[in-house]
């Protein structure tokens, strides 16, 4: 019996795949695409096999041919002492959530998402909408989401007037905030950002101010018009504070909805109803209004992010487009959206003489955009498209890459995808606002391996071997799932 070399590596190696395909040239005609994902915790999360000659392949028991997909088990040695731990043979497939990108649902969390509304739950399949409420980990119209320097997932729990912190896997950690106008109280906050020290800067939207909270959840300061004593003028307050005074003066806010801390330490606020951005020091000193006349004038800016190439990304929600300005000088760079160049009904990138975008649901088109995140490692920009119940994905040049999402309560579906955060390792977190939950996805390529026989597979050992592997065999269209520790021979 021939044994085909069985490898593991951190990314698809085209040369290795070519070598394996050369051993089995019929693979090229039988298989058009294989996508496979297994969640870190051991649950099979996604499988999607597409065959160019599916009927012929499925009707034949090709025991001489097996397609093996492998992904590293990333959380440590597999528990248990059995040679292998069979998973369910009838694990239901989860339909792809991507449209033109390698995007996979991992998990979601919220109260009741796994079938019961009495506690915080993490769900990986057959999920439901969460229930709104005020319990620990329970959400009520969550809006902004960010990842702090220690890796915690921080959610702006908008209608609960608080900030909640979770682990990357959805475990509840802590919270702070309540309804009101004093320090550490909020008026429907919408966004949060962090500096390098872990201090949180919160857009306290209905209180017309910015609050700063340190990494331990302790109040530091706030700023806004009148926050000290109710008199006119930008003030910084450290105790006995009050709500800010709404208006359009320098340093004054009218429903600030987005906030960002630059690498140089400046705090940039999307002053939404004033249709502008304002910049402050981390101590709350006013540094200027960012010019919005001419190309790149704003209407209801909602969120901000660094594109990693020296530009600030601005979501120009009211104009249905994305704008980039040079970091620091804020000179206009370019924008993208449907029709921004000449009014045509398609996605366009414009660098001069630009127009308002066209609202709609086409590929790369927008209908109320409220969250943006950048994955520098993959060169991708994620934009939450609230009224289209999806996340649009673009490359660094503003070209459309893909999307995922639709209206509903299942995995990969949304009822107002509001906020988005990316951790740089392929994980993307979305606040599913009116489903009262957070969803987690993986974006990126996965390892694919081919063997000519299912009779003997051996997981490699040695210093370069992973701590464990998951193996899938697709035999005549029937999948068998097994969890295999290092060095174990799986014989069928």
């Amino acid at each position: 019996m021939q044994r085909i070399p069985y490898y593991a590596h951190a990314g698809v190696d085209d040369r290795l795949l070519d070598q394996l395909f050369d051993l089995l040239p019929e693979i090229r005609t039988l298989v058009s695409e294989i996508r496979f994902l297994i969640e870190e915790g051991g649950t099979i999360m996604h499988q999607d096999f597409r065959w160019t000659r599916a009927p012929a392949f499925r009707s034949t028991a090709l025991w001489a041919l097996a397609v093996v997909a492998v992904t590293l088990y990333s959380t440590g040695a597999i528990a248990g002492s059995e040679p292998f731990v069979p998973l369910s043979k009838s694990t239901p497939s989860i339909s792809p959530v991507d449209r033109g990108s390698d995007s996979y649902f991992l998990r979601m969390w919220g109260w009741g998402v796994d079938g019961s509304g009495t506690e915080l739950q993490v769900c990986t399949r057959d999920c439901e909408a969460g229930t709104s409420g005020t319990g620990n980990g329970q959400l009520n119209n969550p809006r902004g989401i960010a990842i702090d320097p220690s890796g915690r997932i921080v959610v702006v729990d908008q209608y609960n007037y608080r900030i909640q912190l979770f682990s990357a896997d959805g475990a509840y950690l802590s919270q702070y905030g309540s309804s009101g106008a004093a320090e550490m109280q909020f008026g429907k906050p919408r966004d949060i950002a962090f500096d390098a020290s872990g201090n949180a800067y919160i857009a306290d939207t209905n209180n017309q101010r910015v609050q700063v909270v340190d990494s331990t959840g302790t109040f530091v300061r706030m700023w806004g018009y009148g926050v000290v004593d109710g008199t006119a003028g930008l003030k910084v307050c450290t105790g006995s504070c009050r709500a800010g005074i709404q208006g359009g003066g320098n340093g004054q806010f009218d429903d600030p909805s987005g906030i960002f801390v630059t690498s140089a330490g400046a705090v940039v606020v999307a002053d939404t109803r004033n249709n502008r951005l304002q910049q402050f020091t981390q101590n709350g000193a006013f540094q200027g209004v960012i010019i919005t006349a001419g190309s790149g004038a704003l209407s209801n800016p909602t969120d901000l992010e660094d594109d990693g190439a020296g530009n600030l990304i601005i979501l120009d929600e009211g104009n249905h487009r994305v704008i980039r300005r040079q970091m620091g000088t804020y000179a206009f760079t370019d924008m993208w959206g449907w029709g921004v160049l000449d009014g045509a009904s398609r996605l366009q990138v414009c660098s001069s003489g630009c127009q308002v975008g066209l609202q709609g649901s086409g590929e790369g088109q927008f209908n109320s955009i409220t969250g943006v995140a950048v994955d520098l490692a993959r060169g991708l920009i994620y934009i939450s498209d609230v009224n289209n119940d999806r996340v649009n994905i673009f490359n660094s040049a503003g070209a459309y890459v893909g999307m995922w999402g639709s209206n509903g309560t299942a995995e990969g579906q949304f009822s107002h995808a509001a906020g988005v955060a990316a951790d740089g390792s392929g994980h993307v977190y979305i606040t599913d606002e009116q489903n009262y939950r957070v969803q987690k996805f993986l974006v990126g390529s996965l390892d694919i391996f081919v063997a000519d026989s299912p009779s003997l597979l051996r997981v490699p050992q040695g210093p370069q071997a992973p701590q464990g592997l998951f193996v899938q065999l697709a035999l005549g269209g029937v999948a068998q799932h097994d969890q295999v520790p290092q060095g174990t021979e799986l014989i069928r």
Side-chain angles (χ1 to χ4, degrees), residues 463-475:
Q464 302 303 315
Q467 292 181 312
L469 296 173
F470 289 108
V471 177
Q472 159 134 4
L473 306 181
L475 306 172

Side-chain angles (χ1 to χ4, degrees), residues 222-236:
M222 69 169 66
W223 66 82
Y225 254 50
V227 295
V228 172
D229 54 13
T231 59
L234 175 64
K235 305 291 177 64
V236 176

Side-chain angles (χ1 to χ4, degrees), residues 469-487:
L469 296 173
F470 289 108
V471 177
Q472 159 134 4
L473 306 181
L475 306 172
V478 178
Q480 168 68 51
H481 313 287
D482 293 286
Q483 180 177 335
V484 187
Q486 289 185 48

Side-chain angles (χ1 to χ4, degrees), residues 15 62 85 135 171-172 221 303 319 352 354 403 455-457 486:
R15 290 173 298 177
L62 296 178
V85 182
Y172 171 79
R221 70 181 66 88
D303 202 14
N319 287 324
S352 65
C354 306
M403 56 79 73
S455 300
L456 181 61
L457 296 174
Q486 289 185 48

